[in-house]
Amino acid sequence: MTPLIDGHRRPRGPYTVAAALLRHLVPTALERDGDLVAAHDIEIRAAAPELADLVPARRVTIDAGLPDDERILVPAPRRTLRLANGLTEFFRDAVRPGQAIAVCNGAEADPTDTELLDVMMRRIPPGTLAITLYSGGPEPSPDARGADELWALVDRCVRDGFLHAAAELGERGMSRTEPGGERWWRFAQRTATALGGLGRADDARAVWDRVRSASQDPAMHAAAAYGTAMLDARDPDPARRDLGRARRWINEAIAISTLLPDPLERAFKLGFDRNGLALVELREGRLGAALSLVESAVKLARELGERHPLHRMVLLANRAQLLAALGHVKEALEDYTAAIALDPAFPDYYLERGNLLFKLGRHEEALADFERAIRAGPPLPEAYYNRAELRTVRGEMEEALADLGRVIELDPAYLDAYINRAGLLAAVERDEEARADVAAGLGLEPGNPHLLAVLGQLETAAGRLGEAREALDAAVDRAPGLAAAWGNRGVLRYAAGDLEGAVDDLTRAIELQPEPDLYTNRAVALRALGRDAEAELDERRAGRLS
């Protein structure tokens, strides 16, 4: 199909392997099936920008046309998984069955290509495309790219979410420019941002320290203070966050931004920093204070006119989240709608608005938002997962199972998808499939109480009451607030002849989450104990909730 592909990242950077395949396949695919190419416009253009003239952009977010200082959004690291899945689906459908490729220098490939090859080998049958990967290969020439060439590549990497390459190349760019200068600052800002996005907080903090050492520019110091604060405020692990330190740094950023002489720069940076302080307030549980800060940032953004639309979009969405958490649902929906109107091709806020509509019982509108998120870009596991939850509530079990299967196909490490699919499969008595999902999920997180609760249910149905009791006791111990664990243990205890214990466990489950099945099961246990009046009351309660 193609000659040996050299996967070494040095000459080209991200998606070296992907671009070689795309250059070979896209022209032929355009002749055979232009719709296939159009359906993957984002992925193709991200991996092989040299094909932009052949592949027109069909789905475009507004940041594509914004100047550098207004492109404030950095894609999350998971975006490359979305691109990898989209590219894999394109390659699977574009190749003629029976083709083969070989890739050398796999050990030196960029993480984008490593991830892509892993997805391709998992999702494309060898009979369609056989892939041979060699770890070694010829050593390419040293990288002689000057600062201008490096900058263009670093900027592309940050814009598209290729964070590993952005960090590596950004460091190289910093070493080839004068510390403290404008070009050095741009490399430093991108490098620290990429390192933070990768969870390399200490390395990112070191870059921000270098900025403080090299520059006396107040805007650089404000940005460095903000970036340092966000390393703590955005850390996904609460145990690693130092919110006091984050507050000190963000206050410093605000103090500096307040003194900036240019009124438009001051309004933008001060609003940006106040939005950052709002995150600290939110993490500390002060929703009202967080909302006040975001509202002040929204007010400042009005001074910017038509500039900084992404900044305004983020502020509106953040205010929507806080309003929803405080129970101001109507205003939250209005803000989500306004944020979406600023960039209808951005999928994230469709998901957030859809989740709020789902909670309100407005299922058709929620479904429409989830499906808009699905159409907006490369495969998005979260959108399928959310649609599966909605379909489960609506009783559309086969459709929900299909969506959860799609989630797992796209991301085999998506633990919640295994939990939900195992529960659904057990509910429809497809026990062996449920057991397989439980095993896969426990492989990702041993001792997960949700999976142990399903395992206990399956073992009870199979008559292995000892194993069921072990699993359900562990589930209750690990998650005392999990109604399903108590309810399933109540069923087990009834099956084991412990009627009083069954009533106790089912009562606790009902206290946590009253559901028709729990009342029905407790009624059965109560009748077996001769407590008919209580059983009749439970049966009436079950009927009212059904």
Side-chain angles (χ1 to χ4, degrees):
M1 175 180 157
T2 63
L4 179 69
I5 298 172
D6 187 345
H8 202 297
R9 67 186 182 279
R10 186 182 299 162
R12 176 190 170 89
Y15 284 129
T16 295
V17 175
L21 283 172
L22 289 167
R23 287 192 297 269
H24 180 81
L25 290 171
V26 166
T28 304
L30 282 168
E31 295 175 4
R32 290 167 44 202
D33 186 358
D35 289 341
L36 174 64
V37 176
H40 297 283
D41 60 325
I42 293 174
E43 303 96 300
I44 293 171
R45 290 168 62 93
E50 64 269 31
L51 297 178
D53 290 341
L54 282 178
V55 185
R58 189 170 57 91
R59 299 164 293 177
V60 183
T61 54
I62 59 171
D63 66 338
L66 294 178
D68 175 63
D69 64 337
E70 295 190 26
R71 288 191 280 107
I72 62 169
L73 294 180
V74 178
R78 280 177 60 83
R79 182 172 188 261
T80 58
L81 177 62
R82 298 180 60 202
L83 294 174
N85 274 299
L87 288 167
T88 294
E89 291 171 8
F90 173 76
F91 293 142
R92 180 195 62 201
D93 295 340
V95 300
R96 298 185 185 279
Q99 299 294 300
I101 61 169
V103 178
C104 69
N105 270 323
E108 298 298 329
D110 184 82
T112 53
D113 277 321
T114 302
E115 180 180 53
L116 172 63
L117 288 165
D118 177 67
V119 174
M120 290 174 66
M121 288 188 280
R122 175 169 58 81
R123 295 193 58 198
I124 301 178
T128 300
L129 179 64
I131 301 170
T132 303
L133 180 62
Y134 301 97
S135 61
E139 184 70 17
S141 301
D143 188 352
R145 283 174 292 197
D148 288 342
E149 292 177 274
L150 275 176
W151 168 248
L153 185 53
V154 168
D155 189 48
R156 171 203 165 204
C157 288
V158 174
R159 185 173 63 249
D160 284 328
F162 309 152
L163 301 185
H164 292 90
E168 180 180 339
L169 296 170
E171 284 278 7
R172 197 174 303 162
M174 291 174 68
S175 70
R176 297 181 185 181
T177 49
E178 183 66 27
E182 179 62 26
R183 179 53 56 88
W184 180 89
W185 156 247
R186 288 174 180 264
F187 279 121
Q189 190 271 339
R190 298 300 197 277
T191 302
T193 299
L195 289 168
L198 292 169
R200 295 169 57 185
D202 290 342
D203 293 332
R205 193 172 283 112
V207 174
W208 290 127
D209 283 343
R210 287 162 66 185
V211 171
R212 283 184 276 270
S213 296
S215 172
Q216 297 177 357
D217 183 280
M220 290 188 193
H221 276 263
Y226 172 90
T228 305
M230 291 302 103
L231 294 175
D232 277 313
R234 289 178 177 158
D235 196 307
D237 183 356
R240 288 198 303 259
R241 293 177 196 150
D242 186 336
L243 294 177
R245 181 171 61 188
R247 182 182 291 277
R248 291 191 291 273
W249 277 116
I250 200 65
N251 280 343
E252 180 169 314
I254 291 171
I256 298 171
S257 295
T258 302
L259 301 175
L260 293 173
D262 181 85
L264 290 181
E265 184 182 27
R266 184 171 64 247
F268 168 65
K269 290 190 176 295
L270 188 56
F272 202 84
D273 295 339
R274 287 181 180 175
N275 186 52
L277 180 56
L279 178 58
V280 177
E281 297 284 6
L282 174 63
R283 295 284 200 224
E284 293 184 336
R286 291 190 283 271
L287 274 67
L291 179 59
S292 295
L293 284 162
V294 173
E295 287 180 334
S296 73
V298 170
K299 185 176 180 180
L300 284 168
R302 297 192 188 110
E303 300 176 20
L304 302 174
E306 296 302 312
R307 294 192 61 199
H308 291 288
L310 284 179
H311 175 56
R312 286 183 279 122
M313 179 183 77
V314 169
L315 291 176
L316 288 168
N318 287 354
R319 188 169 70 177
Q321 292 172 356
L322 291 165
L323 287 166
L326 290 165
H328 305 302
V329 176
K330 177 177 179 294
E331 295 86 348
L333 288 173
E334 289 172 353
D335 271 354
Y336 276 131
T337 300
I340 288 168
L342 285 168
D343 191 354
F346 187 69
D348 297 45
Y349 302 137
Y350 288 119
L351 284 182
E352 292 185 16
R353 188 176 68 177
N355 287 336
L356 181 54
L357 290 165
F358 180 27
K359 290 176 184 176
L360 295 171
R362 294 163 61 173
H363 290 174
E364 289 301 323
E365 295 169 88
L367 179 63
D369 271 354
F370 296 151
E371 292 181 346
R372 288 187 188 102
I374 288 170
R375 294 193 299 270
L380 181 58
E382 291 78 7
Y384 290 100
Y385 179 83
N386 291 359
R387 190 171 70 176
E389 288 196 309
L390 188 153
R391 286 174 158 173
T392 300
V393 169
R394 287 158 59 123
E396 300 167 357
M397 296 304 179
E398 288 304 318
E399 293 84 352
L401 286 169
D403 274 347
L404 290 169
R406 176 73 165 146
V407 174
I408 291 167
E409 179 186 26
L410 296 172
D411 183 2
Y414 205 118
L415 178 65
D416 286 345
Y418 290 106
I419 292 170
N420 286 7
R421 191 169 71 171
L424 286 181
L425 289 166
V428 295
E429 299 182 352
R430 291 163 59 177
D431 288 3
E432 288 309 309
E433 295 170 81
R435 190 177 293 276
D437 274 357
V438 167
L442 290 174
L444 294 170
E445 186 181 300
N448 179 276
H450 298 273
L451 292 167
L452 290 173
V454 178
L455 178 60
Q457 178 183 351
L458 296 171
E459 298 288 22
T460 301
R464 293 188 286 269
L465 302 189
E467 291 86 343
R469 183 62 185 257
E470 182 180 355
L472 291 166
D473 283 351
V476 167
D477 288 343
R478 286 180 169 87
L482 180 59
W486 292 96
N488 289 354
R489 196 171 72 172
V491 172
L492 162 68
R493 294 175 83 171
Y494 177 85
D498 180 5
L499 302 181
E500 293 286 355
V503 170
D504 289 343
D505 277 356
L506 289 163
T507 299
R508 181 59 182 144
I510 289 167
E511 290 170 353
L512 291 168
Q513 189 175 332
E515 291 184 346
D517 288 350
L518 294 173
Y519 282 113
T520 298
N521 289 341
R522 190 171 68 174
V524 172
L526 288 167
R527 283 202 184 279
L529 286 167
R531 295 159 62 177
D532 292 346
E534 294 171 81
E536 289 175 10
L537 182 60
D538 269 1
E539 288 164 354
R540 288 198 295 272
R541 288 168 175 156
R544 285 196 298 268
L545 289 174
S546 296

